[in-house]
Amino acid sequence: MTEDSAPGSAWAGTAAALLPADGSAGALAGRVWDPAVNGPSVVAVREGDVWGVAEAFPTMRDLCELADPASALASAAGARLGSVEDILANSASQDRDPSTPHFLAPIDLQVIKAAGVTFAASMIERVIEERLRGDPASATEIRELVRAAVGPEFGTLVPGSDAAAALKRLLIAKGLWSPYLEVAIGPDAEIFTKAPVLSAVGTGQAVGVLAASSWNNPEPEVAVLVQSSGGIVGATLANDVNLRDIEGRSALLLPKAKDNTGSCAIGPLVRFFDSSFSLDAVREMSVRLRVDGRDGFHLDEISNMKLISRDPADLVAQLIGPQHQYPDGAILLLGTMFAPVADRCESGLGFTHARGDIVRISSVELGTLVNVVLSSEECPPWDYGIAALMRNLAGRGIL
């Protein structure tokens, strides 16, 4: 990460920008830190206000496990905690008021999983990282070599198909095969644990990259909420922050590249499936990434879910089933279409974060997730785990 002056507020927008384009018409749930109970509370967003519904659903896990989370959320009684506008402003403020609520990541006991290399374009960038061993100096040359080898039809290949197997043989003959290609077009998806339970940050909070990393990027993704039964009940947005130089040195360094303080942002809210939003809508979504640096740098790109190589339901089937169970459910990040390649500092070196970058990940259906970039070492430490949550809920008499 390059250095820059101290970061400003992570949010300069309004509640209307945080919410989906249809406002709070959908079944929107989240979590806030509620000073009145000195702990997290599940909330419903209704007509611009935030309502605490922890008496009905002590955890987001409890809500997600119901047969119809959207209907249950709509009928749950609760207490008004404040307006979306005010809680959002407090969430993004450098001088956060500890006496009023702020947003957290909208999940709690779900295991945080991620799928990698699910888009053809991201596959090319992963192969580049590997071949360069984390050094971006020759990225442009290698990028053109790999693209020429895989051909323009790569994006339409069905993973595990005969055509994909034929391309695998061709690339092996050219000396271009890699583990990333295996999970991009082979029968088995790459699904890994992104972060520990409860460690994700929410909108307005800082995301982190290791101070030693000099080549890194945001990964804007759609994430689906998965019940312990394997049912998919809703979706949200996520930033699967990645250190390209570290993962590029060796695929075995994936945990170090992916799991650091502040390296996973989720939010702003969960939208449960109902008559206004479905898994088919997820399949049609476009996700916008905007990065604004204090150095004047601006990046604006779109990821189209129509171009994903593996259907979300197929990814979930590889995540959970007779081979692997998640008693408290899971959230699965579905992968990103691209790693930003626009040059920032020097020609040919591509993109990397600078301290103070504001990252906005948005979609019409799910609203906007906003975070400011710091080093992981200076992000607020993660110190509220499962034991602390259980003690808090028990003390409130709602466990």
Side-chain angles (χ1 to χ4, degrees):
M1 181 172 65
T2 61
E3 290 298 320
D4 204 345
S5 53
S9 170
W11 182 258
T14 64
L18 171 91
L19 296 174
D22 57 359
S24 50
L28 302 177
R31 291 170 66 246
V32 302
W33 182 267
D34 184 358
V37 296
N38 195 34
S41 289
V42 176
V43 297
V45 173
R46 301 165 178 162
E47 298 181 350
D49 287 325
V50 177
W51 296 80
V53 291
E55 295 288 334
F57 319 112
T59 67
M60 186 64 78
R61 179 266 182 206
D62 294 318
L63 175 56
C64 289
E65 285 294 299
L66 297 176
D68 186 351
S71 295
L73 184 69
S75 61
R80 183 181 180 276
L81 300 182
S83 69
V84 173
E85 195 90 35
D86 290 343
I87 295 177
L88 174 61
N90 194 43
S91 302
S93 174
Q94 293 186 84
D95 302 312
R96 182 177 293 157
D97 181 354
S99 67
T100 60
H102 64 268
F103 284 112
L104 302 171
I107 61 165
D108 42 42
L109 297 179
Q110 293 89 351
V111 175
I112 304 173
K113 308 291 284 191
V117 205
T118 55
F119 288 82
S122 66
M123 179 283 306
I124 291 172
E125 291 305 311
R126 292 296 170 263
V127 174
I128 290 167
E129 289 168 13
E130 181 187 45
R131 294 185 71 83
L132 294 176
R133 296 293 185 263
D135 179 0
S138 301
T140 301
E141 177 184 350
I142 298 297
R143 186 173 294 116
E144 294 306 315
L145 174 66
V146 174
R147 284 177 175 167
V150 300
E153 296 81 20
F154 180 83
T156 62
L157 280 180
V158 176
S161 66
D162 291 342
L167 177 59
K168 174 178 179 176
R169 291 191 294 270
L170 173 64
L171 293 173
I172 289 174
K174 289 177 176 287
L176 289 174
W177 192 247
S178 95
Y180 297 104
L181 286 162
E182 180 65 50
V183 296
I185 64 176
D188 300 314
E190 178 193 20
I191 297 178
F192 58 92
T193 299
K194 167 61 183 178
V197 171
L198 286 174
S199 68
V201 299
T203 199
Q205 297 177 278
V207 292
V209 301
L210 294 184
S213 174
S214 60
W215 192 20
N216 46 71
N217 63 280
E219 293 190 356
E221 307 190 14
V222 180
V224 290
L225 274 292
V226 183
Q227 296 175 317
S228 60
S229 64
I232 307 172
V233 294
T236 186
L237 297 170
N239 185 354
D240 177 13
V241 181
N242 184 47
L243 310 183
R244 301 189 69 183
D245 45 2
I246 290 177
E247 185 178 356
R249 281 162 46 203
S250 169
L252 297 180
L253 290 173
L254 181 71
K256 185 176 182 67
K258 290 288 191 179
D259 183 8
N260 301 290
T261 301
S263 65
C264 182
I266 296 173
L269 303 164
V270 168
R271 184 167 186 169
F272 289 109
F273 294 157
D274 60 9
S275 60
S276 71
F277 183 61
S278 67
L279 185 58
D280 282 338
V282 170
R283 294 182 173 110
E284 297 291 316
M285 282 177 56
S286 292
V287 178
R288 184 180 184 185
L289 168 68
R290 288 175 291 167
V291 178
D292 291 288
R294 295 175 64 85
D295 57 357
F297 177 84
H298 177 70
L299 177 74
D300 195 335
E301 299 196 33
I302 299 289
S303 178
N304 191 331
M305 284 293 293
K306 290 182 180 180
L307 300 178
I308 197 167
S309 300
R310 299 181 189 270
D311 187 78
D314 293 338
L315 288 169
V316 170
Q318 292 204 35
L319 165 76
I320 188 171
Q323 80 283 5
H324 206 311
Q325 296 78 47
Y326 296 93
D328 295 310
I331 183 169
L332 178 62
L333 283 61
L334 297 177
T336 188
M337 178 178 166
F338 63 90
V341 298
D343 289 334
R344 182 168 198 173
C345 298
E346 297 180 39
S347 177
L349 293 186
F351 172 87
T352 196
H353 271 306
R355 185 175 184 271
D357 281 352
I358 304 299
V359 180
R360 292 177 172 85
I361 297 171
S362 61
S363 77
V364 169
E365 300 85 355
L366 297 174
T368 304
L369 171 66
V370 187
N371 303 95
V372 61
V373 178
L374 301 177
S375 70
S376 292
E377 292 85 347
E378 65 180 325
C379 285
W382 172 48
D383 56 8
Y384 197 91
I386 297 172
L389 174 62
M390 293 298 105
R391 292 189 185 105
N392 178 267
L393 296 177
R396 293 155 60 179
I398 60 175
L399 187 63

Short mmCIF file of all heavy atoms in Angstrom, two decimals, residues 113 221-225 234-238 266 282 331-335 366:
data_model
loop_
_atom_site.label_atom_id
_atom_site.label_comp_id
_atom_site.label_asym_id
_atom_site.label_seq_id
_atom_site.Cartn_x
_atom_site.Cartn_y
_atom_site.Cartn_z
N LYS A 113 -17.26 -17.63 4.09
CA LYS A 113 -16.59 -18.37 3.03
C LYS A 113 -16.54 -17.53 1.75
O LYS A 113 -17.33 -16.60 1.58
CB LYS A 113 -17.31 -19.69 2.74
CG LYS A 113 -17.56 -20.56 3.97
CD LYS A 113 -16.28 -21.13 4.54
CE LYS A 113 -15.76 -22.29 3.71
NZ LYS A 113 -14.67 -23.04 4.38
N GLU A 221 -17.93 -7.92 -4.52
CA GLU A 221 -18.61 -9.19 -4.74
C GLU A 221 -20.04 -9.16 -4.19
O GLU A 221 -20.36 -8.39 -3.28
CB GLU A 221 -17.84 -10.33 -4.05
CG GLU A 221 -16.37 -10.38 -4.46
CD GLU A 221 -15.65 -11.62 -4.00
OE1 GLU A 221 -16.34 -12.59 -3.59
OE2 GLU A 221 -14.41 -11.65 -4.06
N VAL A 222 -20.87 -10.00 -4.76
CA VAL A 222 -22.16 -10.33 -4.16
C VAL A 222 -21.94 -11.52 -3.23
O VAL A 222 -21.16 -12.43 -3.55
CB VAL A 222 -23.20 -10.70 -5.24
CG1 VAL A 222 -24.54 -11.04 -4.59
CG2 VAL A 222 -23.36 -9.56 -6.23
N ALA A 223 -22.59 -11.50 -2.08
CA ALA A 223 -22.49 -12.62 -1.14
C ALA A 223 -23.90 -13.12 -0.83
O ALA A 223 -24.83 -12.32 -0.66
CB ALA A 223 -21.80 -12.17 0.14
N VAL A 224 -24.06 -14.43 -0.76
CA VAL A 224 -25.38 -15.00 -0.46
C VAL A 224 -25.39 -15.60 0.94
O VAL A 224 -24.38 -16.14 1.41
CB VAL A 224 -25.79 -16.07 -1.51
CG1 VAL A 224 -26.09 -15.41 -2.84
CG2 VAL A 224 -24.73 -17.15 -1.67
N LEU A 225 -26.55 -15.50 1.58
CA LEU A 225 -26.75 -16.06 2.91
C LEU A 225 -27.29 -17.47 2.77
O LEU A 225 -28.31 -17.69 2.10
CB LEU A 225 -27.74 -15.21 3.70
CG LEU A 225 -27.18 -14.00 4.47
CD1 LEU A 225 -26.30 -14.44 5.61
CD2 LEU A 225 -26.45 -13.04 3.55
N GLY A 234 -30.97 -14.99 1.01
CA GLY A 234 -30.80 -13.56 0.81
C GLY A 234 -29.41 -13.25 0.31
O GLY A 234 -28.60 -14.15 0.03
N ALA A 235 -29.12 -11.96 0.19
CA ALA A 235 -27.83 -11.53 -0.36
C ALA A 235 -27.43 -10.19 0.22
O ALA A 235 -28.25 -9.43 0.75
CB ALA A 235 -27.91 -11.45 -1.88
N THR A 236 -26.16 -9.90 0.08
CA THR A 236 -25.59 -8.62 0.48
C THR A 236 -24.36 -8.37 -0.38
O THR A 236 -24.07 -9.13 -1.31
CB THR A 236 -25.27 -8.61 1.99
OG1 THR A 236 -24.84 -7.29 2.39
CG2 THR A 236 -24.17 -9.62 2.33
N LEU A 237 -23.63 -7.30 -0.11
CA LEU A 237 -22.40 -6.98 -0.83
C LEU A 237 -21.19 -7.25 0.05
O LEU A 237 -21.31 -7.30 1.29
CB LEU A 237 -22.41 -5.52 -1.27
CG LEU A 237 -23.51 -5.12 -2.26
CD1 LEU A 237 -23.56 -3.60 -2.42
CD2 LEU A 237 -23.32 -5.80 -3.61
N ALA A 238 -20.03 -7.40 -0.58
CA ALA A 238 -18.83 -7.69 0.19
C ALA A 238 -17.59 -7.18 -0.53
O ALA A 238 -17.59 -7.01 -1.75
CB ALA A 238 -18.70 -9.19 0.44
N ILE A 266 -18.55 -6.48 4.81
CA ILE A 266 -19.83 -7.03 4.37
C ILE A 266 -20.92 -6.02 4.70
O ILE A 266 -20.93 -5.44 5.78
CB ILE A 266 -20.12 -8.38 5.06
CG1 ILE A 266 -19.08 -9.43 4.64
CG2 ILE A 266 -21.52 -8.88 4.73
CD1 ILE A 266 -19.20 -10.75 5.38
N VAL A 282 -30.20 -11.94 -8.29
CA VAL A 282 -28.76 -11.99 -8.02
C VAL A 282 -28.00 -12.36 -9.30
O VAL A 282 -26.96 -11.77 -9.61
CB VAL A 282 -28.45 -12.99 -6.90
CG1 VAL A 282 -26.95 -13.23 -6.78
CG2 VAL A 282 -29.02 -12.50 -5.57
N ILE A 331 -22.12 -17.52 5.00
CA ILE A 331 -22.23 -16.51 3.96
C ILE A 331 -21.15 -16.83 2.94
O ILE A 331 -20.01 -17.13 3.31
CB ILE A 331 -22.09 -15.07 4.51
CG1 ILE A 331 -22.29 -14.05 3.37
CG2 ILE A 331 -20.75 -14.87 5.22
CD1 ILE A 331 -22.43 -12.62 3.86
N LEU A 332 -21.52 -16.82 1.66
CA LEU A 332 -20.58 -17.19 0.61
C LEU A 332 -20.40 -16.01 -0.34
O LEU A 332 -21.34 -15.59 -1.01
CB LEU A 332 -21.08 -18.41 -0.17
CG LEU A 332 -20.20 -18.85 -1.35
CD1 LEU A 332 -18.80 -19.26 -0.87
CD2 LEU A 332 -20.86 -19.99 -2.12
N LEU A 333 -19.18 -15.47 -0.39
CA LEU A 333 -18.82 -14.45 -1.36
C LEU A 333 -18.62 -15.14 -2.71
O LEU A 333 -17.87 -16.12 -2.80
CB LEU A 333 -17.54 -13.73 -0.93
CG LEU A 333 -17.65 -12.68 0.20
CD1 LEU A 333 -18.15 -13.29 1.50
CD2 LEU A 333 -16.30 -12.00 0.43
N LEU A 334 -19.28 -14.65 -3.74
CA LEU A 334 -19.38 -15.37 -5.00
C LEU A 334 -18.23 -15.11 -5.97
O LEU A 334 -18.19 -15.70 -7.04
CB LEU A 334 -20.70 -15.04 -5.69
CG LEU A 334 -21.96 -15.45 -4.93
CD1 LEU A 334 -23.20 -14.99 -5.68
CD2 LEU A 334 -22.00 -16.96 -4.70
N GLY A 335 -17.30 -14.26 -5.62
CA GLY A 335 -16.17 -13.98 -6.50
C GLY A 335 -16.35 -12.67 -7.25
O GLY A 335 -17.44 -12.12 -7.35
N LEU A 366 -28.99 -3.77 -3.78
CA LEU A 366 -28.47 -3.98 -2.43
C LEU A 366 -27.91 -2.74 -1.76
O LEU A 366 -27.50 -2.79 -0.60
CB LEU A 366 -27.39 -5.07 -2.46
CG LEU A 366 -27.87 -6.46 -2.89
CD1 LEU A 366 -26.69 -7.41 -3.02
CD2 LEU A 366 -28.90 -7.02 -1.91
#
